[in-house]
Amino acid sequence: MEILGIDIGGTGMKGALIDTKTGKLTTERFRVPTPKSRKPEDMATVFKTIVAHFNYKGPVGCGFPTITQHGVCKSVGNLHPSWLNVNIKELFSKACGLPVTVINDADAAGFAVMNYGIGKGEKGLVVIITIGTGLGSGAFYNGKLIPNFELGQIPYKKHMKIEQWAAASVKKRKNLSYKKWAKRFNTFLKLVEIIICPDLIILGGGTSKKYGKFKKWIKINTPVKAAHLGNHAGIIGAATAVTHET
């Protein structure tokens, strides 16, 4: 079964058709920059554009970059404040005229890793950390999703949330070396380890492809692996979420 998955990020909105049996992309990825306003109406227009690009008429899966509950935005994250309490599912469904399943973007990436990647078959508490504009996280216990496990929201020192200090976007903005940034990221992982004591941490997002460049500065007791699905994980997982919706 082919399903359209759309991954919404702070800088780009990306989509592709996914074979949900294999987790493989059956089309080229199509990307449109996230509107600078990051407002609901503007992002809904881009969502419609992505669906139209594929001339697609089935259910759409969407990974959304903040906490969602039953399709409703419960935290604005890095988006415009007007997103708070917006029914994302209704907004995007109305824009494209198709049924839309909405989940947290890190949860979407987690679906991909746990169904098609190195997380498949892993037991216990597995946490997927997506390293990008923010620090997203998805948690699975014995393969079952625990939704909205947003560990990047942990307050840290003067920062309202630790992702404002340790995300990949901070590395880029402050031109940090891998060593300096990795030490910050390791601090974040230490907090994760202390708070929830996971059995395995899997790194996702574009930065996970460069794990070899900062691996030596990650010094925690919990096993850490790179997901290897890179920027496609969010799209794959968004499509997979449609098949998990009850």
PDB file of all heavy atoms in Angstrom, residues 131-132 135 165-172 176-187 203 207 210 214 217-218:
ATOM      1  N   ILE A 131      17.717  14.987  15.932  1.00  0.00           N
ATOM      2  CA  ILE A 131      18.583  16.154  16.097  1.00  0.00           C
ATOM      3  C   ILE A 131      18.413  17.068  14.893  1.00  0.00           C
ATOM      4  O   ILE A 131      18.810  16.728  13.777  1.00  0.00           O
ATOM      5  CB  ILE A 131      20.059  15.734  16.214  1.00  0.00           C
ATOM      6  CG1 ILE A 131      20.209  14.575  17.204  1.00  0.00           C
ATOM      7  CG2 ILE A 131      20.918  16.909  16.635  1.00  0.00           C
ATOM      8  CD1 ILE A 131      21.566  13.902  17.134  1.00  0.00           C
ATOM      9  N   GLY A 132      17.812  18.233  15.121  1.00  0.00           N
ATOM     10  CA  GLY A 132      17.576  19.158  14.019  1.00  0.00           C
ATOM     11  C   GLY A 132      17.386  20.567  14.531  1.00  0.00           C
ATOM     12  O   GLY A 132      18.165  21.039  15.373  1.00  0.00           O
ATOM     13  N   LEU A 135      15.249  19.405  19.477  1.00  0.00           N
ATOM     14  CA  LEU A 135      15.593  18.040  19.879  1.00  0.00           C
ATOM     15  C   LEU A 135      14.286  17.297  20.134  1.00  0.00           C
ATOM     16  O   LEU A 135      13.697  17.400  21.208  1.00  0.00           O
ATOM     17  CB  LEU A 135      16.464  18.034  21.140  1.00  0.00           C
ATOM     18  CG  LEU A 135      17.890  18.564  20.983  1.00  0.00           C
ATOM     19  CD1 LEU A 135      18.570  18.665  22.344  1.00  0.00           C
ATOM     20  CD2 LEU A 135      18.703  17.677  20.048  1.00  0.00           C
ATOM     21  N   TRP A 165      19.727  25.143  23.619  1.00  0.00           N
ATOM     22  CA  TRP A 165      21.159  25.155  23.941  1.00  0.00           C
ATOM     23  C   TRP A 165      21.918  24.033  23.243  1.00  0.00           C
ATOM     24  O   TRP A 165      23.111  24.165  22.975  1.00  0.00           O
ATOM     25  CB  TRP A 165      21.312  25.022  25.460  1.00  0.00           C
ATOM     26  CG  TRP A 165      22.705  24.996  25.989  1.00  0.00           C
ATOM     27  CD1 TRP A 165      23.577  26.055  26.079  1.00  0.00           C
ATOM     28  CD2 TRP A 165      23.399  23.864  26.542  1.00  0.00           C
ATOM     29  NE1 TRP A 165      24.763  25.655  26.649  1.00  0.00           N
ATOM     30  CE2 TRP A 165      24.677  24.298  26.947  1.00  0.00           C
ATOM     31  CE3 TRP A 165      23.043  22.528  26.744  1.00  0.00           C
ATOM     32  CZ2 TRP A 165      25.609  23.451  27.526  1.00  0.00           C
ATOM     33  CZ3 TRP A 165      23.973  21.678  27.320  1.00  0.00           C
ATOM     34  CH2 TRP A 165      25.242  22.139  27.703  1.00  0.00           C
ATOM     35  N   ALA A 166      21.219  22.940  22.904  1.00  0.00           N
ATOM     36  CA  ALA A 166      21.930  21.747  22.438  1.00  0.00           C
ATOM     37  C   ALA A 166      21.468  21.179  21.102  1.00  0.00           C
ATOM     38  O   ALA A 166      21.970  20.133  20.678  1.00  0.00           O
ATOM     39  CB  ALA A 166      21.832  20.653  23.504  1.00  0.00           C
ATOM     40  N   ALA A 167      20.539  21.831  20.407  1.00  0.00           N
ATOM     41  CA  ALA A 167      20.063  21.319  19.119  1.00  0.00           C
ATOM     42  C   ALA A 167      21.098  21.565  18.016  1.00  0.00           C
ATOM     43  O   ALA A 167      22.025  22.360  18.176  1.00  0.00           O
ATOM     44  CB  ALA A 167      18.739  21.972  18.746  1.00  0.00           C
ATOM     45  N   ALA A 168      20.923  20.892  16.887  1.00  0.00           N
ATOM     46  CA  ALA A 168      21.834  21.059  15.751  1.00  0.00           C
ATOM     47  C   ALA A 168      21.780  22.482  15.208  1.00  0.00           C
ATOM     48  O   ALA A 168      22.773  23.009  14.716  1.00  0.00           O
ATOM     49  CB  ALA A 168      21.492  20.063  14.648  1.00  0.00           C
ATOM     50  N   SER A 169      20.601  23.112  15.309  1.00  0.00           N
ATOM     51  CA  SER A 169      20.455  24.488  14.827  1.00  0.00           C
ATOM     52  C   SER A 169      21.331  25.453  15.629  1.00  0.00           C
ATOM     53  O   SER A 169      21.824  26.462  15.101  1.00  0.00           O
ATOM     54  CB  SER A 169      18.991  24.930  14.917  1.00  0.00           C
ATOM     55  OG  SER A 169      18.512  24.812  16.247  1.00  0.00           O
ATOM     56  N   VAL A 170      21.555  25.139  16.903  1.00  0.00           N
ATOM     57  CA  VAL A 170      22.418  25.968  17.756  1.00  0.00           C
ATOM     58  C   VAL A 170      23.875  25.819  17.316  1.00  0.00           C
ATOM     59  O   VAL A 170      24.626  26.804  17.266  1.00  0.00           O
ATOM     60  CB  VAL A 170      22.271  25.575  19.241  1.00  0.00           C
ATOM     61  CG1 VAL A 170      23.206  26.410  20.113  1.00  0.00           C
ATOM     62  CG2 VAL A 170      20.829  25.737  19.694  1.00  0.00           C
ATOM     63  N   LYS A 171      24.269  24.602  16.984  1.00  0.00           N
ATOM     64  CA  LYS A 171      25.622  24.355  16.486  1.00  0.00           C
ATOM     65  C   LYS A 171      25.893  25.211  15.249  1.00  0.00           C
ATOM     66  O   LYS A 171      26.947  25.852  15.128  1.00  0.00           O
ATOM     67  CB  LYS A 171      25.816  22.877  16.123  1.00  0.00           C
ATOM     68  CG  LYS A 171      27.193  22.553  15.546  1.00  0.00           C
ATOM     69  CD  LYS A 171      27.269  21.112  15.087  1.00  0.00           C
ATOM     70  CE  LYS A 171      28.662  20.781  14.571  1.00  0.00           C
ATOM     71  NZ  LYS A 171      29.094  21.640  13.440  1.00  0.00           N
ATOM     72  N   LYS A 172      24.912  25.230  14.347  1.00  0.00           N
ATOM     73  CA  LYS A 172      25.064  25.986  13.109  1.00  0.00           C
ATOM     74  C   LYS A 172      25.062  27.487  13.372  1.00  0.00           C
ATOM     75  O   LYS A 172      25.916  28.220  12.854  1.00  0.00           O
ATOM     76  CB  LYS A 172      23.931  25.619  12.143  1.00  0.00           C
ATOM     77  CG  LYS A 172      24.018  26.316  10.799  1.00  0.00           C
ATOM     78  CD  LYS A 172      22.895  25.863   9.882  1.00  0.00           C
ATOM     79  CE  LYS A 172      22.982  26.552   8.530  1.00  0.00           C
ATOM     80  NZ  LYS A 172      21.875  26.130   7.625  1.00  0.00           N
ATOM     81  N   LEU A 176      29.616  26.279  16.225  1.00  0.00           N
ATOM     82  CA  LEU A 176      30.331  25.456  17.206  1.00  0.00           C
ATOM     83  C   LEU A 176      31.052  24.301  16.516  1.00  0.00           C
ATOM     84  O   LEU A 176      30.561  23.747  15.532  1.00  0.00           O
ATOM     85  CB  LEU A 176      29.358  24.891  18.242  1.00  0.00           C
ATOM     86  CG  LEU A 176      28.579  25.890  19.095  1.00  0.00           C
ATOM     87  CD1 LEU A 176      27.575  25.140  19.977  1.00  0.00           C
ATOM     88  CD2 LEU A 176      29.497  26.746  19.931  1.00  0.00           C
ATOM     89  N   SER A 177      32.192  23.925  17.033  1.00  0.00           N
ATOM     90  CA  SER A 177      32.879  22.727  16.543  1.00  0.00           C
ATOM     91  C   SER A 177      32.073  21.504  16.966  1.00  0.00           C
ATOM     92  O   SER A 177      31.222  21.582  17.870  1.00  0.00           O
ATOM     93  CB  SER A 177      34.279  22.639  17.145  1.00  0.00           C
ATOM     94  OG  SER A 177      34.201  22.438  18.552  1.00  0.00           O
ATOM     95  N   TYR A 178      32.346  20.359  16.331  1.00  0.00           N
ATOM     96  CA  TYR A 178      31.639  19.143  16.736  1.00  0.00           C
ATOM     97  C   TYR A 178      31.917  18.821  18.198  1.00  0.00           C
ATOM     98  O   TYR A 178      31.029  18.374  18.925  1.00  0.00           O
ATOM     99  CB  TYR A 178      32.036  17.964  15.841  1.00  0.00           C
ATOM    100  CG  TYR A 178      31.171  17.844  14.610  1.00  0.00           C
ATOM    101  CD1 TYR A 178      31.636  18.260  13.367  1.00  0.00           C
ATOM    102  CD2 TYR A 178      29.874  17.340  14.696  1.00  0.00           C
ATOM    103  CE1 TYR A 178      30.830  18.166  12.241  1.00  0.00           C
ATOM    104  CE2 TYR A 178      29.062  17.250  13.577  1.00  0.00           C
ATOM    105  CZ  TYR A 178      29.545  17.661  12.348  1.00  0.00           C
ATOM    106  OH  TYR A 178      28.749  17.576  11.238  1.00  0.00           O
ATOM    107  N   LYS A 179      33.145  19.074  18.638  1.00  0.00           N
ATOM    108  CA  LYS A 179      33.496  18.781  20.020  1.00  0.00           C
ATOM    109  C   LYS A 179      32.686  19.624  21.001  1.00  0.00           C
ATOM    110  O   LYS A 179      32.103  19.094  21.971  1.00  0.00           O
ATOM    111  CB  LYS A 179      34.998  19.018  20.246  1.00  0.00           C
ATOM    112  CG  LYS A 179      35.455  18.710  21.665  1.00  0.00           C
ATOM    113  CD  LYS A 179      36.957  18.937  21.821  1.00  0.00           C
ATOM    114  CE  LYS A 179      37.426  18.626  23.234  1.00  0.00           C
ATOM    115  NZ  LYS A 179      38.882  18.829  23.389  1.00  0.00           N
ATOM    116  N   LYS A 180      32.617  20.939  20.758  1.00  0.00           N
ATOM    117  CA  LYS A 180      31.888  21.822  21.667  1.00  0.00           C
ATOM    118  C   LYS A 180      30.399  21.514  21.668  1.00  0.00           C
ATOM    119  O   LYS A 180      29.759  21.468  22.723  1.00  0.00           O
ATOM    120  CB  LYS A 180      32.132  23.285  21.284  1.00  0.00           C
ATOM    121  CG  LYS A 180      33.524  23.787  21.631  1.00  0.00           C
ATOM    122  CD  LYS A 180      33.672  25.261  21.329  1.00  0.00           C
ATOM    123  CE  LYS A 180      35.048  25.766  21.752  1.00  0.00           C
ATOM    124  NZ  LYS A 180      35.208  27.209  21.469  1.00  0.00           N
ATOM    125  N   TRP A 181      29.861  21.278  20.468  1.00  0.00           N
ATOM    126  CA  TRP A 181      28.430  20.975  20.400  1.00  0.00           C
ATOM    127  C   TRP A 181      28.132  19.606  21.020  1.00  0.00           C
ATOM    128  O   TRP A 181      27.156  19.441  21.759  1.00  0.00           O
ATOM    129  CB  TRP A 181      27.932  21.006  18.956  1.00  0.00           C
ATOM    130  CG  TRP A 181      26.538  20.474  18.861  1.00  0.00           C
ATOM    131  CD1 TRP A 181      25.388  21.123  19.207  1.00  0.00           C
ATOM    132  CD2 TRP A 181      26.155  19.144  18.471  1.00  0.00           C
ATOM    133  NE1 TRP A 181      24.301  20.281  19.046  1.00  0.00           N
ATOM    134  CE2 TRP A 181      24.742  19.070  18.584  1.00  0.00           C
ATOM    135  CE3 TRP A 181      26.860  18.036  18.020  1.00  0.00           C
ATOM    136  CZ2 TRP A 181      24.037  17.911  18.279  1.00  0.00           C
ATOM    137  CZ3 TRP A 181      26.160  16.883  17.705  1.00  0.00           C
ATOM    138  CH2 TRP A 181      24.767  16.828  17.829  1.00  0.00           C
ATOM    139  N   ALA A 182      28.971  18.611  20.725  1.00  0.00           N
ATOM    140  CA  ALA A 182      28.738  17.248  21.233  1.00  0.00           C
ATOM    141  C   ALA A 182      28.741  17.208  22.761  1.00  0.00           C
ATOM    142  O   ALA A 182      28.007  16.418  23.368  1.00  0.00           O
ATOM    143  CB  ALA A 182      29.789  16.299  20.679  1.00  0.00           C
ATOM    144  N   LYS A 183      29.559  18.035  23.394  1.00  0.00           N
ATOM    145  CA  LYS A 183      29.576  18.079  24.854  1.00  0.00           C
ATOM    146  C   LYS A 183      28.236  18.600  25.382  1.00  0.00           C
ATOM    147  O   LYS A 183      27.743  18.136  26.417  1.00  0.00           O
ATOM    148  CB  LYS A 183      30.734  18.939  25.349  1.00  0.00           C
ATOM    149  CG  LYS A 183      32.089  18.244  25.189  1.00  0.00           C
ATOM    150  CD  LYS A 183      33.213  19.056  25.800  1.00  0.00           C
ATOM    151  CE  LYS A 183      34.531  18.286  25.761  1.00  0.00           C
ATOM    152  NZ  LYS A 183      35.640  19.039  26.372  1.00  0.00           N
ATOM    153  N   ARG A 184      27.648  19.547  24.671  1.00  0.00           N
ATOM    154  CA  ARG A 184      26.313  20.025  25.056  1.00  0.00           C
ATOM    155  C   ARG A 184      25.280  18.911  24.870  1.00  0.00           C
ATOM    156  O   ARG A 184      24.451  18.659  25.744  1.00  0.00           O
ATOM    157  CB  ARG A 184      25.907  21.229  24.193  1.00  0.00           C
ATOM    158  CG  ARG A 184      26.715  22.489  24.433  1.00  0.00           C
ATOM    159  CD  ARG A 184      26.105  23.655  23.678  1.00  0.00           C
ATOM    160  NE  ARG A 184      26.841  24.896  23.911  1.00  0.00           N
ATOM    161  CZ  ARG A 184      26.348  26.114  23.680  1.00  0.00           C
ATOM    162  NH1 ARG A 184      25.125  26.241  23.187  1.00  0.00           N
ATOM    163  NH2 ARG A 184      27.065  27.181  23.923  1.00  0.00           N
ATOM    164  N   PHE A 185      25.358  18.255  23.711  1.00  0.00           N
ATOM    165  CA  PHE A 185      24.412  17.188  23.415  1.00  0.00           C
ATOM    166  C   PHE A 185      24.560  16.042  24.410  1.00  0.00           C
ATOM    167  O   PHE A 185      23.565  15.441  24.832  1.00  0.00           O
ATOM    168  CB  PHE A 185      24.617  16.687  21.983  1.00  0.00           C
ATOM    169  CG  PHE A 185      23.604  15.667  21.547  1.00  0.00           C
ATOM    170  CD1 PHE A 185      22.261  15.994  21.450  1.00  0.00           C
ATOM    171  CD2 PHE A 185      23.995  14.371  21.241  1.00  0.00           C
ATOM    172  CE1 PHE A 185      21.315  15.045  21.054  1.00  0.00           C
ATOM    173  CE2 PHE A 185      23.066  13.422  20.846  1.00  0.00           C
ATOM    174  CZ  PHE A 185      21.720  13.757  20.752  1.00  0.00           C
ATOM    175  N   ASN A 186      25.794  15.761  24.825  1.00  0.00           N
ATOM    176  CA  ASN A 186      26.033  14.715  25.811  1.00  0.00           C
ATOM    177  C   ASN A 186      25.409  15.079  27.163  1.00  0.00           C
ATOM    178  O   ASN A 186      24.892  14.209  27.872  1.00  0.00           O
ATOM    179  CB  ASN A 186      27.534  14.480  25.969  1.00  0.00           C
ATOM    180  CG  ASN A 186      27.835  13.263  26.827  1.00  0.00           C
ATOM    181  OD1 ASN A 186      27.528  12.138  26.456  1.00  0.00           O
ATOM    182  ND2 ASN A 186      28.436  13.490  27.995  1.00  0.00           N
ATOM    183  N   THR A 187      25.433  16.360  27.508  1.00  0.00           N
ATOM    184  CA  THR A 187      24.777  16.818  28.733  1.00  0.00           C
ATOM    185  C   THR A 187      23.287  16.514  28.674  1.00  0.00           C
ATOM    186  O   THR A 187      22.688  16.047  29.653  1.00  0.00           O
ATOM    187  CB  THR A 187      25.002  18.333  28.947  1.00  0.00           C
ATOM    188  OG1 THR A 187      26.401  18.581  29.120  1.00  0.00           O
ATOM    189  CG2 THR A 187      24.238  18.844  30.157  1.00  0.00           C
ATOM    190  N   LEU A 203      19.634   7.685  17.615  1.00  0.00           N
ATOM    191  CA  LEU A 203      19.706   9.056  17.111  1.00  0.00           C
ATOM    192  C   LEU A 203      19.163   9.130  15.692  1.00  0.00           C
ATOM    193  O   LEU A 203      19.544   8.339  14.823  1.00  0.00           O
ATOM    194  CB  LEU A 203      21.154   9.559  17.133  1.00  0.00           C
ATOM    195  CG  LEU A 203      21.876   9.480  18.483  1.00  0.00           C
ATOM    196  CD1 LEU A 203      23.281  10.057  18.354  1.00  0.00           C
ATOM    197  CD2 LEU A 203      21.092  10.210  19.570  1.00  0.00           C
ATOM    198  N   THR A 207      21.511  15.062  11.352  1.00  0.00           N
ATOM    199  CA  THR A 207      22.790  15.037  12.060  1.00  0.00           C
ATOM    200  C   THR A 207      23.207  13.623  12.442  1.00  0.00           C
ATOM    201  O   THR A 207      24.399  13.342  12.625  1.00  0.00           O
ATOM    202  CB  THR A 207      22.726  15.932  13.312  1.00  0.00           C
ATOM    203  OG1 THR A 207      22.327  17.254  12.924  1.00  0.00           O
ATOM    204  CG2 THR A 207      24.069  16.027  14.013  1.00  0.00           C
ATOM    205  N   LYS A 210      26.009  11.914  10.657  1.00  0.00           N
ATOM    206  CA  LYS A 210      27.380  12.353  10.952  1.00  0.00           C
ATOM    207  C   LYS A 210      27.816  11.896  12.346  1.00  0.00           C
ATOM    208  O   LYS A 210      28.729  12.482  12.930  1.00  0.00           O
ATOM    209  CB  LYS A 210      27.462  13.876  10.833  1.00  0.00           C
ATOM    210  CG  LYS A 210      27.069  14.383   9.445  1.00  0.00           C
ATOM    211  CD  LYS A 210      27.035  15.902   9.401  1.00  0.00           C
ATOM    212  CE  LYS A 210      26.577  16.396   8.036  1.00  0.00           C
ATOM    213  NZ  LYS A 210      26.462  17.875   7.986  1.00  0.00           N
ATOM    214  N   PHE A 214      31.096  12.865  15.974  1.00  0.00           N
ATOM    215  CA  PHE A 214      30.979  13.316  17.374  1.00  0.00           C
ATOM    216  C   PHE A 214      30.793  12.162  18.358  1.00  0.00           C
ATOM    217  O   PHE A 214      30.656  12.391  19.562  1.00  0.00           O
ATOM    218  CB  PHE A 214      29.852  14.341  17.524  1.00  0.00           C
ATOM    219  CG  PHE A 214      28.465  13.868  17.178  1.00  0.00           C
ATOM    220  CD1 PHE A 214      27.645  13.320  18.145  1.00  0.00           C
ATOM    221  CD2 PHE A 214      27.969  13.988  15.891  1.00  0.00           C
ATOM    222  CE1 PHE A 214      26.353  12.897  17.839  1.00  0.00           C
ATOM    223  CE2 PHE A 214      26.681  13.567  15.561  1.00  0.00           C
ATOM    224  CZ  PHE A 214      25.875  13.025  16.538  1.00  0.00           C
ATOM    225  N   TRP A 217      32.640  11.869  21.841  1.00  0.00           N
ATOM    226  CA  TRP A 217      32.316  12.773  22.950  1.00  0.00           C
ATOM    227  C   TRP A 217      30.989  12.415  23.619  1.00  0.00           C
ATOM    228  O   TRP A 217      30.543  13.102  24.527  1.00  0.00           O
ATOM    229  CB  TRP A 217      32.290  14.219  22.464  1.00  0.00           C
ATOM    230  CG  TRP A 217      33.651  14.694  22.037  1.00  0.00           C
ATOM    231  CD1 TRP A 217      34.762  14.842  22.829  1.00  0.00           C
ATOM    232  CD2 TRP A 217      34.061  15.019  20.705  1.00  0.00           C
ATOM    233  NE1 TRP A 217      35.833  15.261  22.074  1.00  0.00           N
ATOM    234  CE2 TRP A 217      35.442  15.387  20.765  1.00  0.00           C
ATOM    235  CE3 TRP A 217      33.418  15.062  19.473  1.00  0.00           C
ATOM    236  CZ2 TRP A 217      36.150  15.771  19.643  1.00  0.00           C
ATOM    237  CZ3 TRP A 217      34.133  15.447  18.347  1.00  0.00           C
ATOM    238  CH2 TRP A 217      35.490  15.794  18.447  1.00  0.00           C
ATOM    239  N   ILE A 218      30.355  11.343  23.150  1.00  0.00           N
ATOM    240  CA  ILE A 218      29.125  10.872  23.783  1.00  0.00           C
ATOM    241  C   ILE A 218      29.515   9.831  24.824  1.00  0.00           C
ATOM    242  O   ILE A 218      29.920   8.720  24.491  1.00  0.00           O
ATOM    243  CB  ILE A 218      28.153  10.272  22.742  1.00  0.00           C
ATOM    244  CG1 ILE A 218      27.828  11.323  21.664  1.00  0.00           C
ATOM    245  CG2 ILE A 218      26.897   9.770  23.421  1.00  0.00           C
ATOM    246  CD1 ILE A 218      27.248  12.617  22.205  1.00  0.00           C
TER     247      ILE A 218
END
